Amino acid sequence: MVRKYKTSKVFVPGGMPRLTYVPREAIKLEASLRNAVENLHKLITVTGQTKSGKTVLVNTVLPRADVGQNIWIDGGSVASENDFWTTILHELGEATTLEENSSSSSTKSVDGEVQGGVGVPFVADVKGKTKTGLMKASSSGKGKKLELTPRTAALRALRDFDGSIVVDDFHYLDRAFQGSVIRALKPLIFEGLPVVLIAIPHRRYDAVRVEREMTGRIEDIEVPSWSLEELELIPITGFPLLNARLAPGIGRQFASQAYGSPHLMQEFCQRRAFQEGLIETSRSRITISSVDDDLYHQAAEGTGKVIYDKLSKGPRQRSDRLQRALSDGGSADIYGVVLKALSVLAPGLETIEYEHLRAAIRQVLDETPPQAHEVSRVLERMAEIAASDEASTPVIDWEKEEQKLHITDPFFAFYLKWGAI
């Protein structure tokens, strides 16, 4: 009999794909991480584009499920430094109250006289009067409670911790907070405590920037974007478990639209299986011979639309913004114009030079483009909106000094192509 699998267990967008996990053995990521954890007294950073499989990689080597062995902290859910240390205390089953017991004892002589010939235990028979020399001991104790800060209590507990700490989305922590955490953990790292920070690429050296003494003491493991061949291994592995196969070329088509993200690849495969009515392994062999663009449009609606709409709306303001004429006959304010230009570029996951964006703005407008400082101000506001979004990783990041815009989220990039039309 053919073993049955649930489609939702085979293709797992956003989760731990145990049946379609691809170890990427050619680039030895797992081996590099294991060696770093076991052999180096350095801070370990795992960097890569959003949804490129960083968390899945670390979870494979240092499983979150190993409670008491690996402490996982989600940077997106930590609002303050106290939250960070309190999470560690909770995982270790420790508290901020330390109880110390102090005791004192005293011994006094109990003098007595005995007459020779009278038996006194442990005292030899003697003639005449003599001192018994018996001793009486007494003791008293008292307890003292010591209140520690979460940071002090957590660091104290970690001295005896024989496991690892993983901070996912480390870049999402406030910069001042990052420095405080690294400075506190630094002595323990040098003593052998494995600490792994998961972050996006252009923030990979935040650890160095916030704590200069870590320079030369960081082991960086970079998770590159997935190749088309690696992404194709997901449907190659998964569809046979459902007693199905993709016609030649469809797997490569999926891979070319995934922007190097296994998350999106899992999404495409699951959606196409559901379209075919595959809720679980089919009794009869199925061949999937085509893919309609609607699959990508529907996937886009469920990915980047919410944050795209937030960026398009921009920050609140009292007066209506100036509407600008578009070359396609419509109109939009400056926030809409910038996003329209990004849609024209359909940049994927890459850094966009300011001048390239300006050229795209000229292309989508049917009037004189806004001044450079206006566009820069809008990008700055958009980056602030993206950073304040509930997602753990901002979809864009604007480096004002370098005049560079980073598209950091493959879902947002995917939406720019398939949803923003």
Side-chain angles (χ1 to χ4, degrees):
M1 294 181 63
V2 177
R3 181 176 178 181
K4 285 193 173 184
Y5 296 92
K6 294 287 187 182
T7 299
S8 59
K9 298 293 184 182
V10 174
F11 299 118
V12 190
M16 184 67 190
R18 302 188 186 283
L19 296 173
T20 50
Y21 173 72
V22 178
R24 308 180 74 184
E25 295 175 351
I27 54 179
K28 305 184 186 307
L29 290 174
E30 289 183 22
S32 296
L33 181 55
R34 286 194 175 93
N35 289 338
V37 168
E38 296 186 11
N39 301 323
L40 294 175
H41 292 247
K42 293 183 177 182
L43 178 66
I44 304 165
T45 60
V46 177
T47 60
Q49 297 288 0
T50 303
K51 301 177 182 68
S52 62
K54 304 183 300 298
T55 300
V56 171
L57 166 67
V58 178
N59 194 29
T60 301
V61 177
L62 302 171
R64 184 190 288 261
D66 285 356
V67 179
Q69 183 63 29
N70 301 314
I71 298 175
W72 278 69
I73 301 172
D74 297 309
S77 64
V78 176
S80 67
E81 184 173 351
N82 275 348
D83 287 348
F84 183 91
W85 301 115
T86 300
T87 299
I88 292 178
L89 288 173
H90 176 74
E91 292 292 327
L92 294 176
E94 299 286 345
T96 56
T97 301
L98 180 66
E99 294 190 6
E100 292 183 344
N101 291 320
S102 60
S103 61
S104 61
S105 60
S106 62
T107 306
K108 61 181 179 180
S109 172
V110 181
D111 292 335
E113 294 181 350
V114 294
Q115 185 69 34
V118 179
V120 179
F122 308 113
V123 179
D125 287 346
V126 293
K127 291 183 179 180
K129 296 180 180 180
T130 183
K131 300 287 186 180
T132 62
L134 293 178
M135 309 299 288
K136 181 178 181 181
S138 64
S139 63
S140 61
K142 57 182 180 179
K144 181 174 65 175
K145 287 187 176 182
L146 185 62
E147 292 293 335
L148 305 176
T149 65
R151 169 177 167 149
T152 302
L155 292 173
R156 183 187 183 98
L158 285 173
R159 292 193 189 104
D160 299 321
F161 177 55
D162 186 25
S164 305
I165 295 177
V166 178
V167 186
D168 200 0
D169 291 327
F170 176 76
H171 52 272
Y172 202 60
L173 273 58
D174 181 81
R175 180 63 62 89
F177 172 16
Q178 290 177 356
S180 179
V181 167
I182 291 174
R183 281 188 289 273
L185 290 175
K186 182 173 64 176
L188 296 175
I189 292 171
F190 295 164
E191 290 173 12
L193 174 68
V195 176
V196 180
L197 310 180
I198 305 175
I200 53 179
H202 67 283
R203 297 293 193 191
R204 74 178 64 178
Y205 296 118
D206 277 2
V208 176
R209 290 170 181 164
V210 298
E211 183 53 39
R212 293 297 179 185
E213 292 183 26
M214 295 302 298
T215 303
R217 295 181 178 271
I218 294 179
E219 179 72 10
D220 181 46
I221 298 173
E222 184 175 356
V223 179
S225 293
W226 288 47
S227 67
L228 296 178
E229 291 76 17
E230 288 173 328
L231 289 170
E232 284 186 278
L233 289 175
I234 293 174
I236 288 173
T237 303
F239 278 103
L241 299 178
L242 300 175
N243 199 19
R245 65 179 288 272
L246 294 180
I250 294 180
R252 178 56 60 103
Q253 180 186 339
F254 280 165
S256 67
Q257 298 297 330
Y259 290 101
S261 169
H263 187 144
L264 275 173
M265 192 65 171
Q266 295 275 351
E267 181 79 25
F268 301 157
C269 292
Q270 187 187 85
R271 283 180 176 274
R272 188 63 188 91
F274 285 157
Q275 285 181 345
E276 204 67 30
L278 282 172
I279 305 301
E280 62 181 11
T281 303
S282 174
R283 291 184 178 181
S284 58
R285 182 74 165 174
I286 292 177
T287 297
I288 299 174
S289 57
S290 64
V291 176
D292 194 279
D293 283 354
D294 283 345
L295 181 146
Y296 301 120
H297 290 303
Q298 292 168 7
E301 288 297 309
T303 56
K305 184 180 188 329
V306 173
I307 185 61
Y308 182 93
D309 289 344
K310 286 183 180 180
L311 297 178
S312 180
K313 186 180 296 182
R316 293 180 181 179
Q317 67 176 39
R318 295 180 181 177
S319 59
D320 293 336
R321 297 191 186 96
L322 174 66
Q323 294 295 306
R324 300 171 186 271
L326 301 176
S327 56
D328 62 6
S331 64
D333 65 19
I334 190 169
Y335 286 85
V337 168
V338 170
L339 288 173
K340 186 78 172 177
L342 286 175
S343 300
V344 168
L345 289 173
L349 292 175
E350 61 186 46
T351 296
I352 303 171
E353 297 289 344
Y354 176 73
E355 287 306 319
H356 292 162
L357 179 59
R358 286 274 292 169
I361 289 175
R362 295 188 190 96
Q363 181 180 342
V364 302
L365 279 176
D366 193 31
E367 60 177 67
T368 303
Q371 296 295 316
H373 71 273
E374 294 180 84
V375 176
S376 179
R377 176 179 55 81
V378 167
L379 292 172
E380 192 171 351
R381 295 291 180 271
M382 281 186 172
E384 291 173 359
I385 293 170
S388 64
D389 186 62
E390 293 179 358
S392 61
T393 305
V395 298
I396 62 172
D397 187 26
W398 170 242
E399 286 191 278
K400 185 177 180 180
E401 296 79 9
E402 300 294 330
Q403 295 284 285
K404 292 179 180 179
L405 180 68
H406 303 278
I407 306 294
T408 62
D409 190 329
F411 278 7
F412 183 64
F414 180 70
Y415 185 81
L416 287 174
K417 179 175 181 179
W418 290 102
I421 56 175

